[in-house]
Amino acid sequence: MDFETVDAGDFGRSLQGIGLNILVRDVPAMAEFLTAVFGMAAHRVSKDFAIMAYGGQVFQLHSDPTYGANPLLSLLPEAGPRGAGLEIRLYETDPEAAVARAAAFPDAVILQEPKDKPHGLREAYILCANGYAWVPSRRI
């Protein structure tokens, strides 16, 4: 499927399994962060929407205004972090490299430096400007 040209209806009908839509304040800025720090591919990036690809999977970024009629929008804080309690785990991303690249983004916060964990992964915790916890991980 060509994510740059696919019709919205065809794209929606193609989705399977579990889906992830992330509401963000600035879609292009978030897409830039995800591509630069984690090596993701960004498609159809606009002020309202982007298709993100990582490890053969896709998810979507949506701007707040695109959720104007959605009841979820009323639960989001206007300022501050949004993603408390959610870890977005990226099992094929080197944590040291991701932490180093995140340093170029002044709004990114390294919540935890890379560390070996007892569950067999080396991982770090990086908060993006929207407050979501991105966890780059590698098998030990």
Side-chain angles (χ1 to χ4, degrees):
M1 174 179 303
D2 184 349
F3 293 131
E4 295 300 333
T5 60
V6 65
D7 170 82
D10 290 339
F11 176 68
R13 285 185 289 276
S14 77
L15 299 173
Q16 300 177 18
I18 191 167
L20 182 62
N21 286 351
I22 301 176
L23 296 179
V24 298
R25 294 180 181 100
D26 184 333
V27 171
M30 186 66 172
E32 178 187 1
F33 173 79
L34 295 173
T35 57
V37 176
F38 304 114
M40 293 184 186
H43 304 278
R44 303 283 291 265
V45 178
S46 71
K47 69 180 184 65
D48 290 325
F49 175 77
I51 298 169
M52 302 302 301
Y54 176 82
Q57 300 171 10
V58 296
F59 65 94
Q60 301 166 64
L61 301 177
H62 285 87
S63 68
D64 292 349
T66 65
Y67 268 57
N70 188 304
L72 184 59
L73 186 62
S74 67
L75 300 176
L76 290 175
E78 290 187 30
R82 298 176 167 205
L86 172 69
E87 294 179 0
I88 303 167
R89 294 185 158 267
L90 307 170
Y91 296 115
E92 303 300 326
T93 299
D94 180 273
E96 276 81 13
V99 165
R101 292 187 298 259
F105 292 83
D107 292 337
V109 174
I110 307 306
L111 193 59
Q112 181 182 76
E113 293 288 335
K115 183 177 179 179
D116 289 352
K117 299 292 185 92
H119 52 264
L121 296 174
R122 181 164 182 80
E123 57 192 35
Y125 280 73
I126 302 170
L127 298 182
C128 67
N130 287 277
Y132 294 105
W134 298 86
V135 185
S137 306
R138 286 278 192 214
R139 290 175 211 84
I140 297 173

